[in-house]
Amino acid sequence: MSRTRTRWRLGLSAAVLLVASTAVPGTTVPASAADVTDYAITVDPKRSGPAIGDTLYGVFFEDINRAADGGLYAELVQNRSFEYGTADNASYTPLTSWTVSGGARTLDDDGRLDARNRTYLSLDGGSSVTNSGYNTGIRVQNGKTYDFSAWVRADAKTPLTVTLHDADGTLAEARQVTARGGWARYRARFTATRGSTTGRLTVAAGGPVALDMVSLMPRDTYKGHGLRKDLAGKIAALHPGFVRFPGGCLVNTGSMQGYDEASGFQRKRSYQWKDTVGPVERRATNSNFWGYNQSYGLGYFEYFQFAEDIGAMPLPVVPALVTGCGQNRATDDAALLRRHIQDTLDLIEFANGPVTSEWGARRAAMGHPKPFHLTHLEVGNEENLPDEFFARFTQFRSAIAAAYPDVTVISNSGPDDSGTTFDTAWKLNRDAGVGMVDEHYYNSPQWFLQNNDRYDTYDRNGPKVFLGEYASGGNTFRNALAEAAYMTGLERNADVVELASYAPLLANEDYVQWRPDMIWFNNHASWGSADYEVQKLFMNNVGDRVVPSTATGTPAVSGPIAGAVGLSTWATTAAYDDVRVTGADGTPLLDEDFGGDATRWNHTGGGSWSVEDGQYVQSDVSAENTMVSAGDPAWHDYDLHVKATKRSGKEGFLVAFGVKDTGTYYWWNLGGWNNTTSAVEQAVDGGKSTLISRPGSIETGRAYDIDIKVRGRQVTLLLDGQEWGSFTDDKPAEPFRQVVTRDARTGDLIVKVVNAQSTDARTAVDLGGAKVARRAAVTTLSAAPEAVNTETATAVAPVRSTFDGAAGRFTYTFPANSVTFLRIRQR
């Protein structure tokens, strides 16, 4: 395969180039041509590219995967206020995570601690309750101090004995407190005499008492502010420029009403900041969108404080009164909208106002008289109703601009990287002169490799982009490599993309609602994924300005779309018939009327398939991805015809083509996303991305004629004889990407190279006449594509070394499957 070559001053030719060993990047050893791919990088240090702000890269914290309670928030007692209920999760009760010995009952009556803390425990004399914490139990460390507290009400003087123990015995000396009278907070301190990850906390009552807000907090938290030290430390080590919080779907789902008597103390509601400040015993509780309870012990004050502690810009997100994340409703209540707008103005005052203001005084009362310096605020989160959202966003924006003109108000473009919602939202934002628009997308590694140039053509005079959520659909090093390659495009376009954050941030391994995630943990350990290592490398080596550079590339995608054909369903039963595959020259490749058996079909997915009355039927209505395939993976340039009838269920049909294996294929998803949208999706190594989509649904009981014409890399799709759409999949998934930035403080040129392929990349680097020191600092991430970091093994970790061959022109071999940063000092 030929590539453009440049004759280098070093005198190396194609015949005599030497290659660096993968084990020792930058050294030279002989290798065969099959082991390397040759590239050239040309840098122009005399020109200036876009400036890169200090806040380009940040983090997005959402309480998903138990990221808050049981995670970053250091509280060790689960369900400490007995507020769990079926509104949170169908399996929950007020005693979830508690066991009772003796007599106890939970009550919701006028004897409660606070109107916003509805439930409490009535414990009989001689009885006890024991809390099991999170994961395997309460984790304590030998020699560490833990602070116990509980709110107690007792009619008579009553002793309570508090113990910390596990199956092998006590973990600390027991403590006793004596309660008497109305609700009051009682405290005790434990010093662990040994460590355990299966601890339990027991409170035993010598007489009848009422209990609420039972707490056990480690004394040793991040900067003494109540956050789990190892998790906060890993986030701080990223040196993020901003923290976006608290969501996500938490912000734009559920009721927009308050937690009060007027709403019937509505539990399933959007995250509203005033619920989360002030004394913790008076904070509201809420049903978390992701299927559990959130206590709001980690609330807005703590988020602001954490951002300050790690030197990051706080970036809160507030509801726009339009729900998303599958709910898709607009609230039409003018008074409620005005209340939310005023709440948002009060939030800015809480963050920035003087102590003489109402909400500045509230902040000061919580221990922080100085302002938090809020400069950016986002309204809404990936709403699917762009017109309804924007009508409300405009009112928020106008009110904020009138009162706080220096605050940047961020809008969004919906939940996808393209499509009708995306296009409509962007037009509305562009026409209104919005300053910044939040984009979200979760796609396959292939998509990220193909779309490095996404922002090259964005309007430099239009709204800036906040890439608030993105990830490539997995936690292998293959995923991290694709993200790293994409990040070089973000930096190259730093004049358009001003903020970017991978999502989600945290995941407790025993409570997972979403994958992938950047940092994983349990009750005693935490570890960064391969994606974390990539994010950390980029965040700690950003630079201040892009230095223009170009690179040769790998050959473009060549050859036609090829593969077998397939049928599938998703939470739906369906019948298929008259499957015909015909070559472009008319040659029959497959003709299946299911008059006999289905032995030519390979069942690689779930579900229950059988031949019934001359049709191939999938009859399990709950099964997802029930793929069956037939044919030759080498087929190309063919016509596929299928007759399909939906029988029952949530969605429609999935008709596949270009099927290589169980993880690599295309399929036309008709009536997907709860029968609201049809799209063509491409799967590569299990990660999917959308190539074309449009609204549409599939009728139950109606037979549809589906035709797919594959010619080279062009695909045309017909539904009942009418063209539905077409696309050409010819964007190269370029595995070799680079960007160069300059660090003004050190004077370093930072050459950042991603080689996301299985061969070394022998590269001639021309620094455009720059005078540089011979020794360069090198940081390399290199591993097998499927490598995954775990609690016990870190397969993907940075290796630091030096390279003594830096010059105005030099060669460097970047290892296969690697991310390499060269910091080269200019003289």
Side-chain angles (χ1 to χ4, degrees):
M1 298 178 184
S2 63
R3 291 175 186 79
T4 301
R5 292 284 181 93
T6 302
R7 187 175 299 278
W8 300 101
R9 188 174 61 187
L10 298 177
L12 298 175
S13 70
V16 299
L17 276 171
L18 300 178
V19 60
S21 163
T22 300
V24 188
T27 60
T28 53
V29 295
S32 69
D35 295 326
V36 296
T37 304
D38 295 329
Y39 296 91
I41 296 173
T42 304
V43 184
D44 188 353
K46 298 180 179 64
R47 293 172 53 221
S48 289
I52 305 175
D54 293 338
T55 56
L56 173 59
Y57 295 124
V59 294
F60 166 46
F61 182 93
E62 178 175 6
D63 188 358
I64 184 174
N65 310 312
R66 292 279 189 184
D69 296 329
L72 184 62
Y73 184 46
E75 174 63 64
L76 298 171
V77 175
Q78 184 175 178
N79 189 18
R80 66 181 177 188
S81 59
F82 308 100
E83 295 295 325
Y84 279 25
T86 54
D88 308 314
N89 187 293
S91 67
Y92 281 4
T93 75
L95 285 174
T96 293
S97 78
W98 293 94
T99 56
V100 176
S101 176
R105 60 195 183 280
T106 55
L107 300 174
D108 179 358
D109 60 25
D110 291 341
R112 64 178 65 88
L113 171 62
D114 187 83
R116 291 159 67 82
N117 192 336
R118 307 293 295 171
T119 308
Y120 64 97
L121 181 71
S122 176
L123 188 62
D124 294 344
S127 301
S128 64
V129 287
T130 298
N131 191 268
S132 57
Y134 297 91
N135 300 96
T136 56
I138 292 173
R139 190 263 181 120
V140 298
Q141 294 175 270
N142 186 29
K144 295 284 187 178
T145 300
Y146 298 85
D147 292 319
F148 165 84
S149 67
W151 284 79
V152 185
R153 191 189 70 214
D155 293 335
K157 187 176 180 181
T158 305
L160 291 95
T161 302
V162 188
T163 55
L164 194 54
H165 56 93
D166 63 9
D168 295 326
T170 60
L171 296 169
E173 183 180 348
R175 291 289 183 257
Q176 191 172 85
V177 297
T178 302
R180 184 174 184 176
W183 286 109
R185 189 181 186 192
Y186 297 85
R187 296 176 172 86
R189 182 182 301 172
F190 291 98
T191 299
T193 54
R194 61 184 180 87
S196 177
T197 60
T198 59
R200 300 291 188 267
L201 177 74
T202 296
V203 180
V209 295
L211 287 179
D212 208 346
M213 295 298 294
V214 180
S215 172
L216 186 70
M217 289 283 285
R219 176 67 58 85
D220 188 16
T221 61
Y222 188 74
K223 297 196 174 182
H225 289 153
L227 302 184
R228 183 168 147 174
K229 202 169 185 178
D230 62 328
L231 292 177
K234 281 184 170 58
I235 299 169
L238 295 168
H239 294 107
F242 64 87
V243 179
R244 177 179 180 248
F245 63 89
C249 289
L250 304 187
V251 169
N252 68 336
T253 54
S255 167
M256 299 293 166
Q257 301 291 330
Y259 192 60
D260 50 37
E261 190 171 359
S263 70
F265 292 96
Q266 171 64 250
R267 284 284 286 273
K268 292 188 174 182
R269 64 191 191 285
S270 63
Y271 195 112
Q272 299 173 45
W273 78 271
K274 288 182 180 178
D275 288 343
T276 76
V277 297
V280 292
E281 68 274 8
R282 294 181 182 174
R283 297 184 188 182
T285 188
N286 204 5
S287 171
N288 184 293
F289 174 80
W290 299 107
Y292 52 90
N293 176 276
Q294 52 189 338
S295 73
Y296 288 151
L298 176 56
Y300 256 73
F301 178 83
E302 289 77 18
Y303 284 126
F304 278 124
Q305 191 171 60
F306 179 54
E308 181 180 75
D309 284 345
I310 63 175
M313 176 182 79
L315 201 165
V317 187
V318 299
L321 274 72
V322 178
T323 57
C325 302
Q327 296 183 358
N328 303 336
R329 295 189 303 272
T331 298
D332 291 315
D333 184 329
L336 187 61
L337 177 60
R338 286 194 298 272
R339 193 267 283 175
H340 275 266
I341 291 172
Q342 185 58 52
D343 282 354
T344 302
L345 298 176
D346 292 344
L347 170 61
I348 299 171
E349 184 178 286
F350 178 78
N352 295 348
V355 296
T356 54
S357 66
E358 177 186 356
W359 287 99
R362 301 254 190 127
R363 181 193 69 241
M366 294 184 72
H368 201 284
K370 293 182 179 179
F372 283 117
H373 305 295
L374 174 66
T375 60
H376 290 65
L377 183 144
E378 184 170 358
V379 176
N381 172 72
E382 59 181 50
E383 282 73 23
N384 263 313
L385 303 174
D387 292 306
E388 292 87 341
F389 161 74
F390 204 76
R392 290 154 181 78
F393 170 82
T394 301
Q395 296 184 59
F396 278 88
R397 181 189 180 205
S398 297
I400 295 169
Y404 300 102
D406 295 332
V407 172
T408 298
V409 185
I410 303 171
S411 181
N412 75 80
S413 58
D416 301 306
D417 62 88
S418 59
T420 303
T421 296
F422 179 88
D423 292 340
T424 301
W426 257 105
K427 184 177 188 309
L428 290 167
N429 285 304
R430 191 180 297 111
D431 290 349
V434 171
M436 183 174 288
V437 178
D438 188 1
E439 294 188 353
H440 294 177
Y441 37 82
Y442 297 90
N443 288 320
S444 67
Q446 179 91 348
W447 186 94
F448 283 95
L449 292 177
Q450 288 178 319
N451 287 278
N452 176 276
D453 62 349
R454 176 181 177 88
Y455 297 109
D456 289 2
T457 56
Y458 270 50
D459 182 1
R460 265 52 198 168
N461 297 313
K464 302 305 180 184
V465 172
F466 173 20
L467 180 50
E469 298 183 31
Y470 72 97
S472 70
N475 277 146
T476 69
F477 191 49
R478 183 192 309 278
N479 298 102
L481 284 168
E483 291 153 6
Y486 193 72
M487 292 169 79
T488 66
L490 300 183
E491 292 193 7
R492 187 176 65 251
N493 290 285
D495 55 333
V496 169
V497 182
E498 291 193 349
L499 308 170
S501 50
Y502 177 103
L505 178 60
L506 296 176
N508 186 319
E509 65 174 353
D510 291 334
Y511 310 93
V512 180
Q513 290 85 36
W514 185 273
R515 297 173 188 271
D517 304 285
M518 194 195 299
I519 300 170
W520 290 79
F521 66 94
N522 50 38
N523 68 349
H524 62 276
S526 60
W527 57 98
S529 64
D531 315 73
Y532 172 84
E533 294 299 341
V534 161
Q535 294 290 324
K536 185 178 178 181
L537 184 58
F538 273 84
M539 288 192 201
N540 283 276
N541 295 276
V542 180
D544 303 283
R545 186 172 290 277
V546 175
V547 180
S549 61
T550 58
T552 54
T554 0
V557 172
S558 59
I561 292 173
V565 299
L567 310 171
S568 188
T569 59
W570 199 287
T572 303
T573 66
Y576 295 94
D577 200 0
D578 297 337
V579 180
R580 296 191 301 273
V581 182
T582 308
D585 60 359
T587 303
L589 301 175
L590 177 69
D591 192 349
E592 182 71 85
D593 64 3
F594 301 107
D597 56 32
T599 54
R600 286 185 287 188
W601 294 84
N602 181 28
H603 188 178
T604 58
S608 178
W609 288 88
S610 61
V611 175
E612 300 178 12
D613 300 324
Q615 295 180 310
Y616 203 19
V617 177
Q618 197 295 111
S619 57
D620 185 347
V621 74
S622 63
E624 298 179 347
N625 192 4
T626 63
M627 177 85 81
V628 292
S629 61
D632 189 337
W635 280 351
H636 60 86
D637 295 292
Y638 56 74
D639 297 337
L640 167 63
H641 171 80
V642 178
K643 187 177 288 292
T645 305
K646 173 182 175 177
R647 291 190 169 184
S648 65
K650 298 178 179 178
E651 303 203 349
F653 320 116
L654 296 160
V655 179
F657 56 98
V659 179
K660 290 293 190 183
D661 53 49
T662 58
T664 302
Y665 53 85
Y666 300 80
W667 67 19
W668 188 4
N669 185 348
L670 291 123
W673 295 271
N674 289 318
N675 207 15
T676 63
T677 304
S678 295
V680 176
E681 297 177 280
Q682 180 184 20
V684 178
D685 296 324
K688 289 199 293 290
S689 56
T690 300
L691 302 180
I692 180 175
S693 70
R694 59 183 55 180
S697 60
I698 293 297
E699 298 175 23
T700 301
R702 174 183 167 187
Y704 290 84
D705 284 304
I706 299 165
D707 290 278
I708 301 172
K709 297 181 179 294
V710 182
R711 296 292 185 273
R713 303 202 68 82
Q714 170 78 32
V715 178
T716 304
L717 306 112
L718 296 96
L719 187 62
D720 288 336
Q722 301 296 312
E723 183 171 330
W724 176 89
S726 64
F727 68 92
T728 303
D729 180 27
D730 60 356
K731 291 193 77 171
E734 175 58 62
F736 185 82
R737 295 291 188 184
Q738 59 79 37
V739 69
V740 180
T741 64
R742 179 181 286 111
D743 187 329
R745 183 181 62 84
T746 64
D748 292 349
L749 290 175
I750 312 173
V751 180
K752 311 173 187 184
V753 177
V754 180
N755 182 27
Q757 60 185 332
S758 58
T759 57
D760 292 351
R762 178 175 48 196
T763 306
V765 181
D766 183 351
L767 296 181
K771 304 296 183 183
V772 298
R774 183 169 180 80
R775 173 166 291 188
V778 183
T779 306
T780 306
L781 293 170
S782 182
E786 301 309 316
V788 176
N789 287 351
T790 67
E791 177 184 350
T792 57
T794 306
V796 181
V799 174
R800 293 175 178 83
S801 60
T802 57
F803 172 62
D804 291 330
R809 292 179 176 176
F810 64 94
T811 59
Y812 192 94
T813 297
F814 298 95
N817 302 306
S818 68
V819 183
T820 305
F821 280 28
L822 298 168
R823 294 192 71 111
I824 305 171
R825 181 66 54 85
Q826 292 190 90
R827 293 187 297 184

